[in-house]
Every structure is written in structure tokens, then in C-alpha cells.
Amino acid sequence: KAGVTQTPRYLIKTRGQQVTLSCSPISGHRSVSWYQQTPGQGLQFLFEYFSETQRNKGNFPGRFSGRQFSNSRSEMNVSTLELGDSALYLCASQIDRVHEQFFGPGTRLTVL
Amino acid sequence: GQQVMQIPQYQHVQEGEDFTTYCNSSTTLSNIQWYKQRPGGHPVFLIQLVKSGEVKKQKRLTFQFGEAKKNSSLHITATQTTDVGTYFCAGPSGGSNYKLTFGKGTLLTVNP
């Protein structure tokens, strides 16, 4: 089975721009979670989608949003980028009722 | 909100020495998961503990879940260079198994 894929792998943006990141989960996984990883804050939960609905949400501002499509692929969007948004954004997929999360390779976002 | 603390933050050992990382949650956990992230990589699931006092072994790795289900530990016997990476514990947050709170991790380096 193919693993979780994320595109793009690297992205450079400037302050004020917006960005969209994409995640394709493992086939059959309907839950997709997003995390932000930074050296200072570690891994922080952004949100989780299941069957096209946001089921869980972390403590991030409204500039961070996401969605999930009927094929379980997910996108997250960050608007009005700030320098502090520079991070590795990780997507993880999960089979329903099984707790193990499978992470993708991440998208490294740099905001200049 | 829920906090998950991990100590130590860093650990450097000589190959062949043992290593232990400790995880403490501010709230009782229904389960705890452990992940490993190699340098430049993404988190990979190691194990899940569910029962109070549970101990599980994977070759040289021993995982324990505390009696009160608020703390956990990972012990590696006779470390090898392949053990290098950051070890994270994670627990469900807000009553959801799909929303994980991660500890900040312990970075293990091994001197050959």
C-alpha cells in the first residue's frame, strides 16, 4: 500500500501571502489530521477531518483552515502568512477506530 | 488544556548504553502512543498502551504505562546507532482518539 503523500514538499512564501498544502491518505483511511511541527513548540494538532467534516480542532487562529474531499484527500490553507508560520506541516491518516496514525513526509513551509 | 511533558529533552549515549525517556500527562489518559522520528523524517508509530500498569516489549524497547494512566516510559537496552532519533509520546485530547497531544520529545543521539 502506498503511504501518505504530501505536496509540495517544500514551499517558500512571503508574509501576507496564502498557501495551500495537500495530503493524500493511505487508501481506506478516512480520518486525516494535520499537525504543525516547530523546534520551539513541537508537534501541535491543527485539525482532523473525517468524511469531509471537521471533527476535531486545535488551538490555532482562523487563518488556518482545511477541508476534505469525498476521496478522503485533504487540503489545508493558511492565509495572511506570518513569519511564525514557518514550520513543517505534517498530515497523518488513520483507520477509523484504530488509533495508530500514519504520517506523511511533511511540507516544509518557509515564510520570508 | 491537557499537557504532556517529556524528559529529558536530549540524551546522548555511547553505543551499548541504555536509554530511558519519561512522559507525564496532566490528565488521565485512555491510552498512550509512542512515535519515533528520525532526523529529517516524519513520526512513525511504535506502540500503543491502553491498560493501567501495562508493559510491552519490542526487541530492545520496553514500554510502560503507569498505574494511574498519567505517565509512561520508554526504555531502550543496549542502544545502537539505528536508535538515533526523537521519541515522542502522545495522548488523546479532549476525549477524542483522533486529536493527539504530543510531548516535545526526547532527542537521542548515539556515539558509535
Side-chain angles (χ1 to χ4, degrees):
Chain A
K1 254 184 184 178
V4 178
T5 58
Q6 291 186 245
T7 56
R9 293 293 310 278
Y10 302 91
L11 209 46
I12 299 175
K13 292 285 187 179
T14 56
R15 278 181 299 174
Q17 288 187 309
Q18 75 165 19
V19 67
T20 299
L21 313 181
S22 181
C23 171
S24 292
I26 293 172
S27 177
H29 290 197
R30 292 192 295 165
S31 169
V32 175
S33 298
W34 288 89
Y35 293 86
Q36 181 195 65
Q37 186 174 33
T38 59
Q41 298 301 316
L43 271 159
Q44 292 187 286
F45 177 84
L46 281 156
F47 28 64
E48 183 245 350
Y49 285 86
F50 180 83
S51 290
E52 303 178 64
T53 301
Q54 187 181 87
R55 191 163 58 172
N56 289 284
K57 189 177 188 306
N59 298 322
F60 278 81
R63 299 186 297 107
F64 292 82
S65 62
R67 59 178 176 168
Q68 187 180 33
F69 302 95
S70 58
N71 61 358
S72 295
R73 191 177 70 84
S74 178
E75 289 181 347
M76 69 162 281
N77 184 276
V78 188
S79 62
T80 320
L81 284 166
E82 300 177 359
L83 295 179
D85 297 333
S86 294
L88 179 66
Y89 289 89
L90 291 158
C91 157
S93 74
Q94 190 171 352
I95 294 178
D96 201 26
R97 290 191 293 277
V98 175
H99 302 157
E100 175 181 356
Q101 293 195 356
F102 293 82
F103 282 81
T107 295
R108 173 75 61 185
L109 172 65
T110 302
V111 182
L112 303 176
Chain B
Q2 178 195 49
Q3 292 188 347
V4 176
M5 309 296 291
Q6 253 185 284
I7 56 169
Q9 194 175 355
Y10 306 97
Q11 183 79 60
H12 178 75
V13 300
Q14 290 293 126
E15 190 172 22
E17 292 182 338
D18 292 357
F19 159 78
T20 305
T21 174
Y22 300 91
C23 179
N24 285 284
S25 170
S26 59
T27 61
T28 302
L29 300 170
S30 60
N31 67 83
I32 194 160
Q33 300 176 36
W34 285 89
Y35 291 79
K36 176 184 177 181
Q37 185 174 22
R38 294 181 188 274
H42 56 273
V44 174
F45 176 83
L46 293 176
I47 207 162
Q48 177 184 267
L49 305 172
V50 178
K51 298 177 184 175
S52 169
E54 188 170 15
V55 178
K56 285 189 176 181
K57 293 191 176 186
Q58 288 180 350
K59 297 183 181 177
R60 295 177 294 103
L61 279 61
T62 301
F63 303 84
Q64 293 190 353
F65 200 9
E67 295 291 338
K69 301 184 77 173
K70 294 181 71 174
N71 62 288
S72 181
S73 65
L74 157 59
H75 179 82
I76 302 178
T77 303
T79 55
Q80 300 175 358
T81 55
T82 53
D83 296 325
V84 165
T86 301
Y87 292 85
F88 295 96
C89 62
S93 175
S96 172
N97 284 311
Y98 303 92
K99 179 180 179 180
L100 293 180
T101 297
F102 279 77
K104 290 199 173 180
T106 297
L107 172 60
L108 171 65
T109 56
V110 180
N111 199 31

